[in-house]
Amino acid sequence: MERSNQRARGRPGERSGGGAGEPSGGKADDKAEDNAEDKAEERPGARTGARPGAVPEAGRPPTIRGVAERAGVSKSLVSLVLQGSPRVSDAKRQAVLEAIEELGYRPNAAARSLVARRTHTVGVLLNDMRNPWFVEVLDGLNSLLQAHGLRMLMADGRLDRRAGQDFARTFQELRVDGIVVVGTLPDTDGLAEVAERLPTVIAGNHEPRLPRVDLVANDDERGARLATEHLIGLGHRRIAHIAGQGLVGELRRRGFESAVRAHGLAASAVVENGDGTEEGGYRAAVRLLNPSRGSGGPVAERPTAVFAFNDISGVGALSAAQELGLEVPADLSLVGYDNTYLARIRHLWLNSVNNASHEVGRRAARCLLDRMERPDAPAGRQLVAPELEIRGSTAPPRPV
């Protein structure tokens, strides 16, 4: 009789028609995860019939099967414990947790991804990782993504131009859950392709406008007007702008030109093309400030103030001014854009337009999370309001 009862209760770890604390059927995903992890962790020649409670072979990582054998439960029940399911009794949950601790088991992320069809990763494509503005956007982006269990995989379009063209295929092969494009892309064809398949958000740029692709950017035209009107308010009448590239560069130039035009200063305003780099800002400033520039105009014709496309260009312009013997701000007022850490370095102490890069990143992350929940929602566009940070690089012009 006693032998019959033992047979009916079953051996430890054997599933029956349902017992105290252990679900009888388990979810289909639990079974699929068991199979996926077995395949992911299976090695040629690995033993599959290890006795219950056996210690894993040296050099072989512990598996979910080993945890189940050590705890005397089914693999599906271990999966439920890992998922925090309330369907497991306290006693069996404790047994599983102790087995996990003893064996040093870590869930196989690849196997769990196969089951959930999610990798909990987000592909982030940057135009140029050297620009400190991107670091602050990434900080805002990651702060919210990480709080929701998502990790970032980054590609730099400058280092590998193929990333700007084939990133759609690369990120799809990595099975990311969504895409965030930060800054300007050299080629947007790949973006249109990936946006058809994955939730996609653009941060820090105003293009391209695609169906179901959200945009989060700074109000660049307004920010440029703030910088220019600050210089005009100080009394400057000969103001130059070192322009940038792409639509962001165009919007900032438009803001500069609209401000000088509104104050009747368009005739004396100068725009010099740059490329957004320190070297580009330096060369543009040399052309603007050198007394022998152009047709050899007199020194009095040089600008008394410069509004640079970004902080990096502004640092280059500052170097050029110093080499030419001009003191900032006594001889030349200078304003940058982006309010990066460069502007806050004490010996630079550059006035700069704060484009709330951290907030742009945080909002982009929020848009991506919402897009994952509602992939067919209409595309949204958010502009973050800029502010001018006043430090020590501007002053009224010297009396003539």
Side-chain angles (χ1 to χ4, degrees):
M1 188 68 175
E2 177 62 21
R3 182 178 300 173
S4 175
N5 289 340
Q6 288 179 351
R7 191 178 298 117
R9 283 196 299 268
R11 294 185 302 274
E14 183 177 78
R15 297 192 58 176
S16 63
E22 182 167 353
S24 59
K27 297 180 181 177
D29 282 353
D30 300 336
K31 295 180 180 179
E33 183 175 342
D34 298 338
N35 294 334
E37 186 167 69
D38 288 344
K39 291 178 181 178
E41 295 180 338
E42 194 173 67
R43 286 179 171 81
R47 296 190 302 118
T48 58
R51 68 185 183 279
V55 177
E57 296 177 15
R60 182 185 180 195
T63 66
I64 195 170
R65 176 183 290 128
V67 172
E69 291 169 346
R70 173 65 65 92
V73 299
S74 68
K75 293 188 297 181
S76 293
L77 189 133
V78 175
S79 293
L80 289 173
V81 171
L82 293 172
Q83 295 166 17
S85 172
R87 301 165 56 199
V88 183
S89 71
D90 291 341
K92 296 211 172 193
R93 185 185 308 277
Q94 186 61 32
V96 170
L97 293 177
E98 288 176 358
I100 289 173
E101 181 67 24
E102 291 169 5
L103 297 176
Y105 171 74
R106 294 293 178 269
N108 187 299
R112 297 175 75 86
S113 317
L114 290 172
V115 176
R117 297 187 179 181
R118 288 191 60 185
T119 60
H120 299 284
T121 57
V122 172
V124 180
L125 183 71
L126 306 172
N127 182 44
D128 186 351
M129 207 175 291
R130 297 173 302 176
N131 190 329
W133 175 80
F134 289 109
V135 176
E136 300 188 22
V137 174
L138 289 175
D139 187 46
L141 188 66
N142 191 47
S143 65
L144 192 56
L145 292 180
Q146 191 174 53
H148 286 77
L150 297 170
R151 295 163 294 175
M152 297 191 300
L153 299 177
M154 289 183 286
D156 188 332
R158 179 192 65 87
L159 293 177
D160 184 0
R161 285 303 176 190
R162 290 187 60 191
Q165 299 168 4
D166 299 335
F167 77 93
R169 183 182 308 166
T170 301
F171 280 142
Q172 285 183 73
E173 288 173 354
L174 293 171
R175 302 180 68 240
V176 297
D177 298 333
I179 300 284
V180 179
V181 177
V182 183
T184 304
L185 282 180
D187 189 328
T188 59
D189 291 342
L191 181 62
E193 177 186 342
V194 75
E196 292 292 325
R197 296 173 172 83
L198 289 171
T200 303
V201 174
I202 297 173
N205 197 13
H206 303 263
E207 60 179 359
R209 303 296 295 273
L210 296 170
R212 298 184 300 280
V213 174
D214 302 301
L215 295 173
V216 182
N218 181 247
D219 191 340
D220 293 285
E221 188 171 350
R222 179 181 175 185
R225 285 199 303 270
L226 286 176
T228 309
E229 287 172 355
H230 167 68
L231 295 170
I232 294 171
L234 290 173
H236 292 279
R237 295 297 176 263
R238 296 188 305 277
I239 306 172
H241 174 48
I242 299 177
Q245 300 175 329
L247 182 55
V248 171
E250 180 183 331
L251 290 171
R252 293 179 187 179
R253 175 173 179 162
R254 188 185 303 171
F256 167 78
E257 291 177 337
S258 68
V260 295
R261 190 165 50 246
H263 290 270
L265 301 175
S268 58
V270 182
V271 175
E272 190 70 46
N273 289 327
D275 59 5
T277 66
E278 182 178 355
E279 180 67 19
Y282 170 84
R283 293 181 180 277
V286 167
R287 294 192 295 268
L288 286 168
L289 303 175
N290 197 319
S292 62
R293 67 181 176 88
S295 57
V299 174
E301 293 299 313
R302 70 165 177 79
T304 61
V306 172
F307 164 47
F309 166 71
N310 59 12
D311 290 345
I312 297 179
S313 298
V315 171
L318 181 61
S319 298
Q322 291 172 341
E323 287 187 11
L324 293 170
L326 299 175
E327 185 179 342
V328 175
D331 300 311
L332 180 74
S333 286
L334 183 61
V335 179
Y337 204 113
D338 294 339
N339 196 40
T340 62
Y341 78 91
L342 293 173
R344 300 189 292 271
I345 295 176
R346 289 292 175 174
H347 72 273
L348 299 178
W349 211 229
L350 183 66
N351 288 19
S352 183
V353 178
N354 183 357
N355 61 359
S357 50
H358 187 279
E359 177 66 10
V360 168
R362 194 191 67 80
R363 289 196 192 185
R366 180 73 267 167
C367 285
L368 185 67
L369 294 170
D370 292 343
R371 178 64 52 187
M372 289 176 174
E373 294 294 324
R374 297 183 295 277
D376 295 324
R381 180 171 179 259
Q382 297 184 36
L383 292 183
V384 180
E387 296 178 350
L388 180 62
E389 297 289 338
I390 305 296
R391 294 190 176 92
S393 63
T394 62
R398 287 186 185 275
V400 178

